Amino acid sequence: MNKKSSAQGPGQDAPTHSVPAPQPLSVSLEANVQEISKRIGESSDVVFRHFTNESLSSSPLAFIYIDGLVNSEMVNQTVLQPLMETVVPKIPDITATDAYNLVKDQMLPIGSVKEGKTLESLLGMLFDGYTLILFNGMTTALAADTAGWEKRSINEPTSQGVIRGPKEGFTENLRTGTAMLRRRLKTSDLRIEEYKIGERTQTGVALVYLEGIASAEVLKEIRRRLNAIQTDSILESNYIEEFIQDGGLTPFPTIQNTERPDALAGGILEGQVGIIIDGTPFALLAPSTFFNFFQSSEDYYQRYDISSFLRLIRYSAFFVSMLLPALYIAVTTFHQEMLPTTLLVSLAAQREGVPFPALAEALLMELTFDVLREAGVRMPRTIGPAISIVGALVLGQSAVQAGLVSAAMVIVVSFTAISNFVIPSLAIANSIRLIRFIMMLIAATLGLFGIMSFLMVLLIHMAGLRSFGVPYLSPVAPMTPRYLKDIFIRVPLWDMTIRPKTNLGKETRRQGKHQKPEPAKKLQKPEGENTP
Amino acid sequence: MNLRKLLNTKLLCSVLCLPLCTSLLSGCWDARELSELGITSGSAYDWEDNQWKATYQIINPSSGSSSMGGSGGGSTSSPPFITFTVKGKTIMEAIQKSNLTSIREMFPSHSRVTVIGDRLAKRGINPLLDIFLRKQDARETVYVFIHSGDAGDVLDQLMQLTKNQGAGIQLMIEQESKLLSYYPGIRMFELAMNLASESGCAAVPELMLTDSKIMDETSETGQTNLPSRLALGRLGVLKGDKMVGWLSQKEAFGLSFLTNTIKSAMIPFASRPQISEQLDSSYMIQKSTTIVQPRWARDHFIMDIHIKGSGVIHEIGSKVDLNNQAALAEMETSIENNILEVVEQSWKSVKKLNADVTGFAVRIHRSDKKRWRSIRQDKNWDTVFQNIEIRPHVHMDIERTGLSSKSFKSIQQD
Amino acid sequence: MNGKIGTTQAAMLVVTTVLPTAIVILPQIIGEYVEQDSVIAIIPPTLAGLGIAFVIGSVIRFSNGAPFLDWIREKSSPVISVLLGLLLLLFYLDTSSTILREFVNFVKDNVLLKTPVAVIATLILLISIYMVRKGIEVMARVNSLVILLFLFFVPLYLSGLWGEMNIHRLLPLFDHSAASLLLASLTPSTWMSEVAVLLFLAPYLRSPQKARLIGYLGLLFVSLMMLFSIITILMVLGPQYIKLTTYPGFSAASIIQIGRFIENLDVLFISYWVMAIYLKFAIFLFATVECFKQTFRVSSSRPFIAALGLVIVMECLYTWKDQAELNLYNKEGRFLVFILFNAILPLAVLLVVKLRRSRHKRKECET
């Protein structure tokens, strides 16, 4: 377990599994360079550079850096130039230690210079874009932070767009991410703890939270789980998510992910803990309850009335997406009495020529839609329109005309599909894609009774679920009425005086009490002014 | 420990999945595809040759909704519904026998009307009520009608302006009770409620054909003036579960006043009763409430019936100045007298039938439970009912007189 | 997994313990005796229920939330505790199986006419076992959600039936003799006495001192709902019609008509009711398991839940095969059994404890 905590101390548990003992540097420069070169396998992108600076020492020094990970200009200007060009008055009998200290203290005009004593730590820094400076006769080496690789510029988030609100999204760079967060939370309470996870990927993982607002228990738990991860690779935030989330076999996500720094900041301000992972623009937020997944950051950028309305729409879309095909099956094969007569007759007329039973028809269409959807994600952008035409025209219209499926079923399936996209979080929207099929099977066997029974199972499951100790259905079950201001509806911002989550943090008040904008206390009206 | 836990949950999951799989394998017991259902829109019951004779009207889905996409569109010349008649010793036997002739299972939940033949009505309809309350898919909210003659004939008749005849009849009776108020439609559960109530009587409207011919071919509905139509007729009176007689439409109208079921009604009246008794004007009641107060007068009950209402003048056939308060008052009295007459006449017929469709028994029970108890013990309600004296008090208000303040006749130069 | 539950949650559990079956079965049983006086007939059972809640609450206060049988063992002897435990276990097994049977019968009568009883019973049992395994905390949460859903159904029910209601159908009041009123209130009292389940929920109460309050709150809400249900049914269907139908509440729901397209809503109400009765059955299963656990002093009840469930489902399938038998039991046998176990037994325990305590005190005073 290689873990490096930058500044903050808490939670530095001892590594739990054995790693080969770190190898200290040898005195000989050449031996060190050889060893490093051997370890890296003489990869072509590693630059070894020997040089001598007579004024420092007679023996040669060496730079090592990885081309592409460093900013070459910076290396030239801040490392190479000072070290190679500066001529200091020659000190007689200069020892290696003197030279080392001289370089370290006077000759590296660069922010972060670290010392490394073992090969492993040096290699780690090398992969982070540091430039290593090795001295002959020293068992420590210097590492100057010259990191600067090609990275994507900040773009609009692609998966979580908003109409009104900040348009910038996280990039793959961890440092950019933390910086974006810092820019939003200019408080000394913001804590950023950094971990390296993954034996081979050494992915940087930053735990970000607000001291005093995030719950200490949750933090402890997250740290424990992060430290317990033993894997060789972390390539995306889902790796972390799956390793640390509760209730391993649940279809429901208990950790949110977001591409938006404002959403992350919002979550952190409400007492959640953010996890930013290097190499992916998706950051994680935990603990998350079921209702968090229906809140979009845009809810707070729009007026409260429309936000509340949209939120109710999202919940209904969730239920429609989960239940509509099942309800259709249940109603048309079990409870035909529930339909208005005219609708029943027209449904019956449509089904006259359809060869399949309702269940088969629904399964067929649902599967078709899932195939189309997957195709839509995978296919090259240039042939996208073709697929849409095929999907809409051929499968929709022609299937009905050919009498394979009834028109009502196409409507049901399309509406189900559209509803699924209303839910702001893809994670929770995906969770019900599979549940939908189970629902359909049960509905075809036991009708509404079956649907209710399965809903009961889901409800029990969700009521028993926890996200880092927070009940998944809180604050509705268990009920905490004062936290309901931001669940089904969103009350005006000035009324949200306390943090709405059931987190366990200390400071719950987030704004003053009487924030409702009102006209200033009425002034005494001057005599006769209001007579027309 | 962890592994055991995991195994446990897995075990539980598989145990949970087991009945699911088996149930899926062994099929869906209660599922019925739409194409297997015969959606019944109306039913008729009659008694013939000592057997139940039931007629069912089943909607033909492929007719009518031809504009729907897919292969649903059938030929428009196929009839919108089909009927078939079955016979059996019991109703259920008859219903089950229907499967001998029908390709579809009967699905009665969407039925709108039930027509009872008068032979059956005279014999007793208890088994019918029982089946409607007992069967899970039978619908208690069907409207009930009596047809004098073969009840099944009514269901064969095609209707214009609607393809679903059952729903059409429902609409007809609902409109009637809303606009005309001769009689309210009675639904199966209301019928059961009335027959089970203290008075044990109910009134069921008659559904009849205006001509002996039955229009049962789709080509025949192509004409504008059908020679034979469905129409609402008299009001059948049931006592116990048997029909005891009819009330004419006018008597039924009076009964509506007695039972407070007037929603809106038209009263023809003589606008100047001193000059001519001829009914030359119309008054529309827009609101009417009836309060019945029973009172014991030594040896019989007196029912004080307060009818209070308001409405507008719709038609005037004489020279009358509507701005004249005295003329209006005179007209109001004329209207009131008309209503009084209707009520008295109706009461006379009801008394003759000796069937308490007025619900007086319920009123008496509610207001005088002690006396009601003794009546029930002596089982002499019929004689008590015969001795009831009614004292109707009518008060009608003319609220508005329409858009013209004078009658057209009064401005004509003569 | 078994956390503690708060006072409101516990009161809600009491509501679900009594209400789901009461609201469908009782109106007809009461109506048969006293017709439109059913409204009044609710009051004596409520008082009886409150009395029982008082007794149960006092017992819990004395034991301060300790498991009932353990507490008895401590106070008296293990023999009495085991004997009592066995009797109670029998009682709860029996009651659970009748609830399951009622549930199954209802589902079979109303929605799934051809589905085999065994399938329905097994499905219900499995789901309830799942719930019980998740623990009382989860049950309480689900329960509060289901009760919240109720708020959605009441307006639908009321608005749909508004036009059909006739307040005069409630008249005349006090038409029936006191004897028939008493007779009518016997059966509802047995339902109210189900509040005794609290004895086995006691170890999970966050504040066992408030057990009385929990009982009162729950029962008052139950009788309020019963009143609401009976009044609406009477106003819609009239006193005579109620006697005819087995499930008057759903009969009333089935005549709801909103506009020309929302009709036949009984299935909707039945679906909601199904959720409530799942909870009721789960609560009784939980009590059974808890009783078993305390009687035989097993540390973890988890392995036994399924076995107890099997016993219940067997009893449900074979003992109560005949609906007439169940009706007879509901009408006649039930009262004795329930009053014995739910009222007299705790009352006896309470009296013994009080007597001992006062004797103890007297001794203390004497010395």
Side-chain angles (χ1 to χ4, degrees):
Chain A
M1 185 88 260
N2 293 296
K3 194 203 76 179
K4 282 196 181 121
S5 185
S6 62
Q8 285 73 28
Q12 290 190 344
D13 298 350
T16 44
H17 71 300
S18 59
V19 264
Q23 188 181 350
L25 288 180
S26 84
V27 190
S28 150
L29 173 72
E30 220 34 56
N32 286 336
V33 171
Q34 286 296 324
E35 185 60 29
I36 289 173
S37 162
K38 202 184 95 197
R39 287 258 180 125
I40 295 176
E42 287 157 24
S43 299
S44 57
D45 57 344
V46 186
V47 176
F48 296 91
R49 175 82 155 80
H50 286 77
F51 73 100
T52 48
N53 186 334
E54 286 298 332
S55 59
L56 281 176
S57 85
S58 50
S59 53
L61 295 87
F63 298 113
I64 309 175
Y65 62 89
I66 299 180
D67 197 16
L69 287 190
V70 297
N71 183 342
S72 332
E73 213 169 294
M74 193 170 165
V75 173
N76 289 343
Q77 283 180 1
T78 56
V79 184
L80 292 189
Q81 257 184 7
L83 283 181
M84 292 172 79
E85 287 177 2
T86 320
V87 181
V88 287
K90 190 168 177 173
I91 306 161
D93 311 327
I94 186 164
T95 60
T97 322
D98 291 337
Y100 178 84
N101 284 335
L102 195 67
V103 170
K104 186 179 132 198
D105 296 338
Q106 290 181 22
M107 293 171 69
L108 287 175
I110 211 163
S112 165
V113 176
K114 290 182 182 170
E115 297 183 345
K117 288 197 161 111
T118 60
L119 272 174
E120 281 72 22
S121 67
L122 283 179
L123 279 171
M125 287 189 272
L126 189 60
F127 296 136
D128 279 343
Y130 281 74
T131 300
L132 306 183
I133 304 157
L134 276 67
F135 295 79
N136 200 7
M138 288 292 294
T139 54
T140 30
L142 287 176
D145 186 2
T146 52
W149 48 80
E150 284 302 314
K151 50 197 170 194
R152 197 164 61 93
S153 60
I154 293 175
N155 281 331
E156 205 174 323
T158 47
S159 69
Q160 292 161 337
V162 293
I163 298 170
R164 177 176 173 183
K167 304 276 186 192
E168 58 175 14
F170 283 125
T171 66
E172 283 75 2
N173 190 348
L174 174 65
R175 198 44 71 212
T176 318
T178 54
M180 286 165 112
L181 200 65
R182 274 266 185 230
R183 277 217 325 275
R184 285 182 168 76
L185 302 172
K186 296 182 183 99
T187 160
S188 54
D189 286 339
L190 180 66
R191 299 283 182 273
I192 299 179
E193 285 172 28
E194 213 160 312
Y195 297 77
K196 292 262 185 230
I197 302 177
E199 272 146 44
R200 293 198 198 283
T201 57
Q202 291 292 321
T203 312
V205 173
L207 203 61
V208 289
Y209 59 92
L210 283 177
E211 183 75 51
I213 287 174
S215 130
E217 285 96 277
V218 170
L219 271 173
K220 207 172 130 197
E221 186 59 28
I222 293 183
R223 283 192 200 113
R224 192 185 64 76
R225 291 190 197 174
L226 279 180
N227 283 330
I229 298 176
Q230 291 175 24
T231 178
D232 69 340
S233 59
I234 299 290
L235 295 178
E236 213 279 332
S237 52
N238 186 49
Y239 285 60
I240 299 279
E241 188 178 333
E242 283 196 26
F243 277 119
I244 66 173
Q245 81 168 346
D246 299 68
L249 290 176
T250 174
F252 295 102
T254 50
I255 295 177
Q256 280 167 279
N257 62 63
T258 179
E259 230 184 318
R260 307 182 55 84
D262 52 321
L264 190 71
I268 289 173
L269 280 168
E270 288 182 351
Q272 285 174 300
V273 176
I275 303 172
I276 307 176
I277 291 120
D278 202 14
T280 174
F282 289 92
L284 303 178
L285 269 174
S288 298
T289 66
F290 177 69
F291 303 100
N292 284 142
F293 292 93
F294 292 88
Q295 298 166 337
S296 150
S297 55
E298 204 179 8
D299 287 352
Y300 309 98
Y301 309 150
Q302 280 175 342
R303 292 183 52 80
Y304 66 93
D305 45 0
I306 196 76
S307 299
S308 304
F309 173 64
L310 288 179
R311 218 174 255 176
L312 292 177
I313 295 251
R314 282 181 210 141
Y315 287 114
S316 21
F318 177 80
F319 282 104
V320 163
S321 176
M322 178 164 66
L323 292 176
L324 189 64
L327 279 178
Y328 178 81
I329 292 173
V331 168
T332 56
T333 58
F334 283 84
H335 313 287
Q336 292 94 347
E337 69 270 14
M338 282 181 81
L339 290 170
T341 312
T342 33
L343 179 59
L344 180 68
V345 172
S346 88
L347 282 182
Q350 288 174 37
R351 296 219 13 102
E352 255 351 43
V354 177
F356 311 113
L359 173 68
E361 199 188 349
L363 281 178
L364 192 77
M365 284 306 286
E366 284 291 341
L367 283 175
T368 312
F369 171 73
D370 273 337
V371 168
L372 268 178
R373 182 173 169 179
E374 189 61 13
V377 177
R378 301 280 156 256
M379 71 197 163
R381 222 156 265 170
T382 39
I383 52 170
I387 296 279
S388 346
I389 291 167
V390 169
L393 275 180
V394 178
L395 286 173
Q397 208 173 338
S398 316
V400 173
Q401 272 173 358
L404 286 177
V405 290
S406 59
M409 185 54 91
V410 175
I411 296 173
V412 165
V413 171
S414 341
F415 190 51
T416 310
I418 295 289
S419 299
N420 205 17
F421 292 117
V422 172
I423 305 160
S425 155
L426 208 60
I428 201 115
N430 277 339
S431 74
I432 47 175
R433 269 167 84 182
L434 290 179
I435 292 175
R436 186 154 71 214
F437 285 101
I438 304 176
M439 275 287 181
M440 277 152 67
L441 288 177
I442 290 190
T445 326
L446 294 168
L448 259 184
F449 171 72
I451 293 183
M452 277 299 161
S453 303
F454 192 62
L455 268 184
M456 201 70 197
V457 173
L458 281 183
L459 208 58
I460 300 163
H461 174 75
M462 283 163 79
L465 214 56
R466 282 163 183 279
S467 174
F468 296 95
V470 178
Y472 196 49
L473 287 183
S474 65
V476 175
M479 173 76 92
T480 331
R482 68 176 183 286
Y483 289 142
L484 285 179
K485 286 183 173 177
D486 194 21
I487 298 297
F488 297 111
I489 53 162
R490 174 177 90 68
V491 299
L493 284 176
W494 42 259
D495 197 30
M496 290 190 199
T497 43
I498 49 173
R499 284 168 221 285
K501 301 245 160 46
T502 44
N503 66 63
L504 310 155
K506 288 172 221 152
E507 190 189 317
T508 57
R509 179 164 293 280
R510 63 172 167 193
Q511 59 198 20
K513 248 184 178 169
H514 305 290
Q515 294 287 302
K516 186 179 176 185
E518 272 160 0
K521 287 269 177 287
K522 260 190 193 147
L523 296 169
Q524 209 72 46
K525 270 193 185 139
E527 272 307 283
E529 215 175 65
N530 49 2
T531 46
Chain B
M1 188 58 217
N2 229 341
L3 192 73
R4 243 185 78 192
K5 220 174 181 180
L6 196 72
L7 267 177
N8 256 342
T9 42
K10 276 205 174 147
L11 199 74
L12 185 73
C13 283
S14 47
V15 165
L16 273 174
C17 290
L18 212 66
L20 188 74
C21 299
T22 49
S23 63
L24 287 177
L25 283 176
S26 52
C28 328
W29 300 276
D30 285 291
R32 291 174 296 187
E33 288 295 329
L34 282 181
S35 43
E36 299 162 4
L37 288 184
I39 304 162
T40 314
S41 54
S43 55
Y45 300 90
D46 215 332
W47 184 258
E48 203 174 86
D49 309 329
N50 264 334
Q51 284 196 93
W52 287 87
K53 183 177 152 201
T55 306
Y56 295 97
Q57 188 186 63
I58 285 179
I59 295 176
N60 175 9
S62 28
S63 158
S65 46
S66 54
S67 58
M68 293 295 161
S71 54
S75 63
T76 38
S77 63
S78 70
F81 55 83
I82 54 162
T83 58
F84 54 87
T85 304
V86 280
K87 285 185 181 179
K89 290 278 174 212
T90 62
I91 306 175
M92 272 322 285
E93 194 199 355
I95 293 178
Q96 285 310 312
K97 271 191 185 166
S98 70
N99 290 320
L100 291 173
T101 56
S102 164
I103 55 161
R104 297 194 175 191
E105 187 190 346
M106 292 254 293
F107 181 68
S109 288
H110 279 268
S111 208
R112 301 287 168 162
V113 293
T114 289
V115 183
I116 300 169
D118 59 344
R119 268 165 304 180
L120 176 62
K122 278 172 188 144
R123 190 181 168 271
I125 57 164
N126 271 343
L128 197 62
L129 285 168
D130 186 81
I131 207 165
F132 267 92
L133 299 183
R134 186 178 307 282
K135 262 194 92 200
Q136 169 267 342
D137 55 354
R139 184 178 166 124
E140 296 104 320
T141 48
V142 290
Y143 279 96
V144 188
F145 296 94
I146 292 184
H147 176 70
S148 66
D150 197 349
D153 290 350
V154 177
L155 294 185
D156 290 337
Q157 172 86 11
L158 283 170
M159 248 180 157
Q160 284 176 315
L161 297 179
T162 179
K163 297 209 158 172
N164 183 348
Q165 191 231 35
I169 297 173
Q170 182 192 13
L171 209 60
M172 207 157 93
I173 186 77
E174 279 174 4
Q175 299 286 1
E176 185 277 330
S177 60
K178 200 168 81 189
L179 301 174
L180 204 61
S181 297
Y182 277 1
Y183 28 68
I186 186 163
R187 288 173 285 178
M188 195 55 95
F189 76 95
E190 289 166 333
L191 180 62
M193 267 163 67
N194 287 352
L195 290 182
S197 75
E198 291 89 342
S199 58
C201 291
V204 180
E206 181 193 27
L207 189 65
M208 59 175 202
L209 291 167
T210 51
D211 195 77
S212 57
K213 198 171 177 304
I214 300 169
M215 316 300 283
D216 54 359
E217 271 183 54
T218 40
S219 56
E220 285 176 334
T221 52
Q223 46 193 310
T224 52
N225 191 2
L226 277 186
S228 166
R229 291 173 193 272
L230 281 176
L232 296 167
R234 298 165 291 172
L235 188 66
V237 174
L238 271 71
K239 185 177 182 189
D241 69 329
K242 295 182 180 56
M243 192 171 102
V244 290
W246 298 97
L247 292 179
S248 71
Q249 284 186 346
K250 198 175 177 193
E251 289 156 358
F253 188 38
L255 188 63
S256 287
F257 278 107
L258 285 172
T259 51
N260 190 21
T261 47
I262 297 280
K263 286 187 181 129
S264 140
M266 196 63 80
I267 310 274
F269 66 100
S271 54
R272 304 177 77 178
Q274 281 96 342
I275 295 170
S276 131
E277 280 294 314
Q278 203 196 342
L279 303 177
D280 53 4
S281 309
S282 307
Y283 167 74
M284 194 170 95
I285 302 179
Q286 288 179 323
K287 210 182 116 196
S288 162
T289 46
T290 307
I291 295 168
V292 179
Q293 284 171 337
R295 151 159 77 86
W296 178 252
R298 229 172 297 163
D299 57 341
H300 68 290
F301 272 107
I302 294 174
M303 310 300 278
D304 280 314
I305 295 162
H306 303 275
I307 301 169
K308 229 179 176 176
S310 59
V312 294
I313 298 284
H314 268 195
E315 178 187 356
I316 286 186
S318 67
K319 289 184 185 176
V320 108
D321 184 7
L322 292 175
N323 294 327
N324 185 347
Q325 278 299 321
L328 280 182
E330 199 179 322
M331 277 172 13
E332 277 172 6
T333 330
S334 170
I335 294 164
E336 283 157 10
N337 286 338
N338 268 3
I339 294 173
L340 265 180
E341 189 201 319
V342 168
V343 169
E344 294 278 7
Q345 192 185 341
S346 167
W347 170 242
K348 224 175 276 167
S349 320
V350 169
K351 216 168 176 178
K352 206 181 287 163
L353 290 175
N354 197 16
D356 178 21
V357 272
T358 49
F360 284 164
V362 182
R363 298 288 148 91
I364 290 173
H365 182 197
R366 279 176 196 164
S367 61
D368 194 348
K369 58 191 181 212
K370 271 186 199 143
R371 193 146 279 131
W372 174 255
R373 210 172 290 154
S374 76
I375 291 173
R376 200 165 49 180
Q377 266 164 10
D378 303 345
K379 289 192 175 140
N380 62 350
W381 169 241
D382 279 351
T383 44
V384 174
F385 182 67
Q386 279 302 326
N387 292 330
I388 283 177
E389 180 191 337
I390 64 161
R391 290 193 186 156
H393 316 277
V394 185
H395 180 79
M396 284 289 152
D397 242 357
I398 297 177
E399 279 191 339
R400 286 183 309 280
T401 54
L403 295 181
S404 51
S405 56
K406 285 194 176 77
S407 70
F408 189 71
K409 200 169 180 183
S410 64
I411 57 165
Q412 263 179 328
Q413 313 288 328
D414 46 356
Chain C
M1 253 322 228
N2 278 334
K4 300 260 175 181
I5 52 174
T7 307
T8 329
Q9 279 181 325
M12 282 179 171
L13 278 179
V14 171
V15 172
T16 346
T17 309
V18 184
L19 199 56
T21 44
I23 210 162
V24 290
I25 295 175
L26 284 187
Q28 194 244 352
I29 292 181
I30 305 175
E32 208 159 306
Y33 290 110
V34 289
E35 300 176 339
Q36 71 278 6
D37 282 337
S38 304
V39 182
I40 305 163
I42 287 295
I43 296 165
T46 309
L47 294 177
L50 289 180
I52 294 169
F54 173 79
V55 172
I56 302 284
S58 310
V59 171
I60 295 174
R61 273 175 81 160
F62 274 122
S63 66
N64 198 17
F68 180 58
L69 293 172
D70 292 357
W71 178 67
I72 288 190
R73 181 177 301 121
E74 217 173 88
K75 292 274 163 190
S76 56
S77 72
V79 182
I80 294 180
S81 144
V82 168
L83 264 176
L84 216 60
L86 282 177
L87 281 173
L88 276 170
L89 186 61
L90 207 64
F91 168 70
Y92 275 106
L93 278 176
D94 225 37
T95 313
S96 306
S97 73
T98 54
I99 294 169
L100 183 59
R101 190 70 213 193
E102 269 156 19
F103 190 4
V104 172
N105 278 347
F106 180 85
V107 171
K108 247 187 106 62
D109 277 353
N110 279 285
V111 273
L112 301 169
L113 288 85
K114 291 174 201 143
T115 311
V117 174
V119 172
I120 303 176
T122 322
L123 183 75
I124 295 167
L125 182 74
L126 283 174
I127 291 175
S128 306
I129 288 178
Y130 180 56
M131 193 160 8
V132 172
R133 286 180 71 112
K134 284 275 178 179
I136 189 75
E137 208 182 354
V138 168
M139 277 160 67
R141 279 179 203 161
V142 174
N143 184 42
S144 61
L145 278 182
V146 169
I147 287 186
L148 267 186
L149 259 184
F150 194 70
L151 296 179
F152 165 76
F153 281 93
V154 168
L156 186 71
Y157 183 79
L158 275 181
S159 64
L161 288 177
W162 196 252
E164 309 284 346
M165 286 188 189
N166 180 354
I167 197 157
H168 295 295
R169 295 211 173 103
L170 295 176
L171 293 173
L173 282 177
F174 299 107
D175 192 24
H176 295 80
S177 62
S180 53
L181 264 177
L182 198 68
L183 210 59
S185 55
L186 284 186
T187 321
S189 311
T190 67
W191 256 273
M192 294 293 185
S193 75
E194 282 173 356
V195 69
V197 165
L198 269 180
L199 273 185
F200 290 97
L201 298 186
Y204 304 101
L205 295 180
R206 202 170 285 150
S207 39
Q209 293 304 321
K210 285 187 186 163
R212 275 185 209 162
L213 184 72
I214 293 170
Y216 295 158
L217 277 179
L219 284 186
L220 281 178
F221 187 74
V222 167
S223 31
L224 214 66
M225 277 348 283
M226 286 302 296
L227 265 184
F228 169 77
S229 143
I230 286 182
I231 288 179
T232 48
I233 295 170
L234 272 174
M235 272 161 56
V236 172
L237 295 175
Q240 278 81 20
Y241 192 91
I242 289 186
K243 292 193 264 184
L244 291 171
T245 51
T246 328
Y247 307 107
F250 293 112
S251 292
S254 74
I255 62 172
I256 288 179
Q257 232 171 340
I258 300 173
R260 277 197 185 279
F261 59 100
I262 302 180
E263 304 172 90
N264 281 329
L265 283 183
D266 42 344
V267 178
L268 202 66
F269 285 90
I270 288 171
S271 315
Y272 168 71
W273 181 78
V274 160
M275 298 184 101
I277 190 115
Y278 265 124
L279 280 161
K280 166 156 189 164
F281 180 59
I283 291 168
F284 272 88
L285 187 61
F286 185 84
T288 313
V289 170
E290 195 61 28
C291 181
F292 180 85
K293 188 174 144 190
Q294 292 177 14
T295 312
F296 297 104
R297 309 180 72 175
V298 286
S299 55
S300 165
S301 56
R302 284 171 80 90
F304 300 103
I305 299 177
L308 287 170
L310 198 68
V311 173
I312 290 171
V313 89
M314 286 300 149
E315 194 178 340
C316 158
L317 289 182
Y318 295 103
T319 311
W320 303 114
K321 210 170 189 172
D322 207 347
Q323 193 170 356
E325 236 170 273
L326 185 62
N327 286 350
L328 192 73
Y329 172 73
N330 268 351
K331 236 181 197 168
E332 288 165 15
R334 203 182 161 101
F335 179 73
L336 283 177
V337 178
F338 269 63
I339 292 301
L340 185 67
F341 281 99
N342 287 343
I344 298 181
L345 195 143
L347 190 66
V349 171
L350 188 69
L351 286 180
V352 169
V353 171
K354 280 224 162 175
L355 215 69
R356 275 196 176 184
R357 192 167 277 195
S358 57
R359 202 181 294 164
H360 212 71
K361 263 188 193 162
R362 210 177 300 148
K363 262 185 198 166
E364 268 178 11
C365 290
E366 280 166 18
T367 50

